Amino acid sequence: MEQKSKIKRVAVLTSGGDSPGMNAAIRAVVRTAIYNNVEAVGVVRGYDGLIKRQFMGMQSHSVSKIISLGGTMLKSSRCPEFKEKSVRELAVSNMREAGIDGLVVIGGDGSFRGADLLCKEFDFPVVGVPGTIDNDIYGTDYTIGFDTAINTAVSAIDKIRDTADSHNLVFFIEVMGRHSGFIGLYTAIGTGAEATLIPEYDTDITHLCSYLDRERRKNKTSGIIIVAEGEKNGTAEEVAKKVKEILPDYDTRVTTLGHIQRGGSPTCRDRVLASVLGNRAVEALIKGMSGVMVGMVNNEIAYTPFEEACSKHNEISDLWFEISRILSL
Ligand code: ADP
Ligand code: F6P
């Protein structure tokens, strides 16, 4: 984990799915490097840019006014070739040739798997910053982009609720999250949804239907059912179809929120988290740390080895799931 050489030129890249707040993290990395008399280099399109030597010098003004912007000014990519050792070797030799002696990777657990290999195979110093809307990374209470994503989803679902109420409809709304139900659970609690289906808990469709019917008899005329991507009964469309087979007189609609959850101006919470973690990542590299992700646990900075951050998962709290059910009665 310890490196002895003093970092002189640090590179930063964004990898995997973009998330709101990545720009704020890039800004923090660049400005912290400059503050420490370390040169900053931006890598365009994540690992793909390392392979293709897409490096750009970054000055303080290069990151002016990006704190409020969604997406990532460095662009991102999925780069399957990076799973090959020879490709990673090329990436490291490109960085060394360009005088880069430290790397900050802003991304999700897939990106950290690649980063871990750069450290272990080639002894290249890398520190990670968790940037994904999914909130599924072990070693941080929240990932950069999650807060913005849930606020975007909540504001969209509030609007859908108006139509559901006006027309006595039951809406099945699909939210993102890959294999993790954080976006589903938080948006369900935040919108007062009637039911939540997330990958971490099995939902029996017959039980869901009896519950919906019971609610209807209590004079609930409309409903919002949140279906998280990765939920075991299938997509929101498939869940709606299964419900309709049991309750044919229900007037149902399906909305998939999709990529609107990944875009937009980051919330203040995401900007602050990204700024703090980006700053600490560069300071960690300068202190000689490597092979770790910097996160925030109980409001304290926490460093977690990449291997642990990738192999473990943030757990959904049983209590929070129970609360979402109790409050929807
Ligand atoms: P995220 O970082 O958001 O989880 P991905 O899972 O798509 O997104 O991973 C981003 C990139 O990280 C991949 O496109 C690939 O370049 C790299 N990566 C993912 N898994 C590995 C792995 N096992 N070995 C090396 N590189 C990997
Ligand atoms: O990891 C972020 C995420 O938006 C997931 O929630 C979702 O499963 C996935 O990326 C979608 O990826 P793509 O944009 O490549 O379809």
Side-chain angles (χ1 to χ4, degrees):
M1 218 155 101
E2 295 286 322
Q3 302 284 326
K4 289 202 178 87
S5 60
K6 157 110 178 63
I7 301 283
K8 295 192 183 67
R9 186 173 289 166
V10 72
V12 55
L13 61 81
T14 47
S15 167
D18 66 329
S19 69
M22 278 185 162
N23 277 324
I26 295 168
R27 172 178 175 272
V29 167
V30 169
R31 296 220 166 142
T32 306
I34 293 168
Y35 172 80
N36 283 288
N37 297 316
V38 171
E39 283 181 56
V41 173
V43 183
V44 182
R45 296 196 74 245
Y47 292 135
D48 189 61
L50 285 187
I51 303 164
K52 297 180 179 150
R53 301 176 60 104
Q54 293 199 303
F55 302 140
M56 53 196 256
M58 305 282 280
Q59 319 304 326
S60 186
H61 64 78
S62 319
V63 291
S64 290
K65 302 186 190 74
I66 65 168
I67 195 164
S68 58
L69 304 179
T72 156
M73 68 163 290
L74 290 175
K75 297 188 182 286
S76 189
S77 69
R78 314 253 190 212
C79 174
E81 312 90 275
F82 211 69
K83 291 185 181 162
E84 289 164 37
K85 188 171 180 186
S86 60
V87 172
R88 293 193 295 274
E89 193 170 16
L90 173 64
V92 170
S93 92
N94 284 344
M95 283 194 282
R96 287 191 172 135
E97 259 180 58
I100 295 164
D101 44 18
L103 175 66
V104 176
V105 169
I106 305 167
D109 57 351
S111 303
F112 296 156
R113 266 182 211 110
D116 194 31
L117 292 170
L118 294 182
C119 305
K120 287 186 175 146
E121 292 169 343
F122 307 102
D123 200 22
F124 196 88
V126 190
V127 169
V129 173
T132 166
I133 62 166
D134 301 338
N135 206 43
D136 58 346
I137 301 183
Y138 182 81
T140 191
D141 290 340
Y142 295 104
T143 56
I144 297 165
F146 173 66
D147 188 60
T148 308
I150 54 177
N151 276 290
T152 301
V154 162
S155 113
I157 296 165
D158 285 348
K159 293 184 175 86
I160 292 172
R161 171 78 80 181
D162 292 344
T163 299
D165 276 348
S166 305
H167 290 267
N168 292 350
L169 300 170
V170 176
F171 267 88
F172 292 81
I173 301 176
E174 186 170 313
V175 296
M176 276 185 167
R178 196 135 67 164
H179 311 296
S180 153
F182 279 98
I183 298 178
L185 180 59
Y186 275 66
T187 54
I189 295 175
T191 58
E194 274 61 40
T196 326
L197 283 68
I198 57 176
E200 290 83 353
Y201 295 90
D202 288 336
T203 303
D204 184 322
I205 296 290
T206 329
H207 286 166
L208 174 66
C209 290
S210 348
Y211 163 74
L212 289 175
D213 223 30
R214 219 172 34 243
E215 293 301 296
R216 176 158 285 195
R217 275 189 260 112
K218 284 196 307 197
N219 276 340
K220 265 202 185 182
T221 52
S222 64
I224 297 288
I225 317 293
I226 305 287
V227 182
E229 177 189 27
E231 198 282 324
K232 296 183 182 75
N233 289 292
T235 60
E237 188 82 51
E238 287 162 343
V239 172
K241 202 166 157 227
K242 288 176 188 170
V243 167
K244 194 84 176 145
E245 276 162 17
I246 300 174
L247 301 170
D249 61 322
Y250 271 53
D251 205 356
T252 59
R253 295 287 186 280
V254 177
T255 302
T256 301
L257 295 184
H259 287 81
I260 63 161
Q261 295 159 97
R262 285 243 295 264
S265 179
T267 59
C268 181
R269 192 174 274 272
D270 272 331
R271 297 180 198 193
V272 172
L273 181 66
S275 300
V276 172
L277 298 187
N279 167 274
R280 290 297 93 186
V282 175
E283 293 290 350
L285 277 172
I286 290 170
K287 282 188 194 123
M289 293 175 84
S290 176
V292 293
M293 179 199 83
V294 52
M296 187 78 87
V297 177
N298 293 332
N299 255 348
E300 300 277 352
I301 296 292
Y303 301 92
T304 306
F306 282 138
E307 211 175 291
E308 214 180 333
C310 297
S311 59
K312 296 185 180 170
H313 287 288
N314 262 357
E315 303 273 324
I316 291 274
S317 147
D318 288 340
L319 175 65
W320 285 49
F321 188 68
E322 187 55 18
I323 288 170
S324 80
R325 280 157 38 92
I326 292 168
L327 299 185
S328 67
L329 290 177

